[in-house]
Amino acid sequence: MLANVLLCLQSWLRVSQQLHTISQVVVGALLGTVFSTLWFWAWSSIVLKAYVSNLWVQIVVTLGAAAFCTVFILHVIRYWVMEPLTLYMSRKFSS
């Protein structure tokens, strides 16, 4: 329930800040629903059985998830933290 409220708030913010149109938000919500349903189905019917029964699959899935999270965190630091900070510092000291 809380997730639905937060997702509605996020959608409203994207439209109110004119970052997306209503139709873009609706299409994004539909695509997200379809892909999350497909992912849940694939995990439940294919990956989970292999994950439970095989140690190597557990290792590969765990290391893959850890690598993905690490790369995402590095991306966030580089492009969402350092880049705006560098721009701010260059503007501050160039004036």
Side-chain angles (χ1 to χ4, degrees):
M1 181 73 172
L2 178 62
N4 288 335
V5 171
L6 293 175
L7 290 173
C8 288
L9 175 63
Q10 179 68 25
S11 299
W12 177 77
L13 287 172
R14 301 299 286 182
V15 173
S16 69
Q17 294 176 351
Q18 297 179 345
L19 298 171
H20 294 290
T21 62
I22 293 174
S23 58
Q24 288 173 330
V25 170
V26 169
V27 169
L30 291 175
L31 285 173
T33 301
V34 168
F35 281 111
S36 63
T37 303
L38 289 174
W39 174 255
F40 179 77
W41 172 82
W43 177 265
S44 297
S45 63
I46 300 168
V47 180
L48 185 60
K49 292 174 186 168
Y51 185 82
V52 170
S53 66
N54 193 336
L55 177 64
W56 286 107
V57 174
Q58 293 176 8
I59 292 170
V60 168
V61 169
T62 303
L63 289 177
F68 178 81
C69 290
T70 302
V71 169
F72 180 73
I73 289 170
L74 292 174
H75 174 81
V76 167
I77 291 170
R78 181 175 181 188
Y79 292 105
W80 296 359
V81 176
M82 295 307 293
E83 191 172 289
L85 184 62
T86 304
L87 287 172
Y88 172 75
M89 295 302 280
S90 67
R91 288 180 185 159
K92 183 177 181 181
F93 291 114
S94 67
S95 300

